[in-house]
Amino acid sequence: MSDVSMLDPLPAHDLKLNPHAPHPEFPWFIGVPSDWVLLDTNPESWQRSAARMVDDRFFGQRLRAGERRAVLQFVEQLVADCQRAGASLSLVQLGRMSTGAVGSAGLHLGWFNSAPQPAGLALVRQTLPRTGTAEEVETPAGPGVLHRDIASTVPPGGLTRVRSTVLQLFLPLPGTTWTAVLSAATPHPEMEQVLSDVIVAVAQSIKPADPDDVAAAHEAKRDNDAAHEAGRDDEDD
């Protein structure tokens, strides 16, 4: 359900981040799997966006009314969780499992500012839950910690509790007071390894942007805007 080899870089200045969620004041970059969708958590627009997203993701597939309701309930719960948690950026994956059932997963990015303490693994390890397991993960920005645990949850549209895998990856950015926190969970055993690969791949893409990165991102945005305008002009003609 996901291709972690295809990561699209997203510059922070070009994202509509939750204005109430903390995030670094300096430019930063993150890559996301090309087949995941950015989740709209704006209170005024998320419902329309959710319905459009579900229909787009299952375009050409037979989605029963009950399945569609369950997926929309999943997205509604995901939006509410993101709003409560103050996630800066949220992604969602929807699709068919090998069994034919509809599968879903969410991936969220939050930022923690430890000022005046510098960000670091020692501080991260002090805040880790007592349950589950933790392993160190190497990234270009420095080492992080991946925490894995199991939770009992009632999935959206369900009536009984099921076992869910919960992942959190903490990545302190050296020389700053900021730690990126990636969170993901799934009740589908088939998706556990995929989700683990995705959260590590995304963490390995996070980095502060240098001036050349920012200039290149601005240039790419200008080219993209110009292409959009050219397309509109062609349609008008």
Side-chain angles (χ1 to χ4, degrees), residues 20 40-50 52 79 83:
H20 304 295
D40 181 0
T41 59
N42 188 313
E44 297 180 358
S45 60
W46 76 262
Q47 287 179 305
R48 294 190 304 275
S49 177
R52 186 169 58 250
V79 169
Q83 291 171 340

Side-chain angles (χ1 to χ4, degrees), residues 14-222:
D14 199 30
L15 292 178
K16 295 179 180 178
L17 299 179
N18 181 344
H20 304 295
H23 57 84
E25 66 283 355
F26 52 82
W28 47 274
F29 275 76
I30 184 172
V32 301
S34 57
D35 58 345
W36 286 60
V37 181
L38 286 169
L39 184 67
D40 181 0
T41 59
N42 188 313
E44 297 180 358
S45 60
W46 76 262
Q47 287 179 305
R48 294 190 304 275
S49 177
R52 186 169 58 250
M53 176 183 65
V54 171
D55 292 338
D56 287 346
R57 297 298 283 182
F58 290 96
F59 180 75
Q61 301 181 39
R62 298 186 64 181
L63 192 64
R64 295 189 295 270
E67 289 180 325
R68 188 174 186 274
R69 279 196 304 273
V71 175
L72 287 172
Q73 286 175 339
F74 166 78
V75 176
E76 180 179 1
Q77 181 175 309
L78 199 59
V79 169
D81 290 344
C82 293
Q83 291 171 340
R84 282 194 299 269
S88 294
L89 173 67
S90 297
L91 308 166
V92 64
Q93 172 65 293
L94 305 170
R96 291 281 183 188
M97 310 293 292
S98 63
T99 59
V102 173
S104 54
L107 177 64
H108 318 288
L109 170 68
W111 288 95
F112 171 67
N113 186 5
S114 57
Q117 288 183 274
L121 287 187
L123 187 60
V124 167
R125 294 190 183 280
Q126 291 175 14
T127 62
L128 288 178
R130 294 182 180 275
T131 59
T133 61
E135 61 180 292
E136 198 164 304
V137 175
E138 291 299 325
T139 81
V145 174
L146 175 62
H147 181 264
R148 187 188 308 265
D149 209 346
I150 301 298
S152 177
T153 62
V154 178
L159 298 175
T160 58
R161 288 187 172 274
V162 297
R163 170 190 178 277
S164 290
T165 296
V166 180
L167 302 173
Q168 283 189 299
L169 200 156
F170 302 83
L171 178 62
L173 295 188
T176 78
T177 59
W178 290 94
T179 297
V181 183
L182 290 165
S183 305
T186 181
H188 308 292
E190 181 178 333
M191 289 193 65
E192 290 178 9
Q193 187 58 51
V194 170
L195 208 56
S196 179
D197 292 343
V198 166
I199 199 171
V200 171
V202 171
Q204 290 174 334
S205 74
I206 296 175
K207 66 171 184 174
D210 58 37
D212 290 340
D213 291 329
V214 175
H218 279 297
E219 184 176 350
K221 185 177 187 303
R222 284 196 300 269

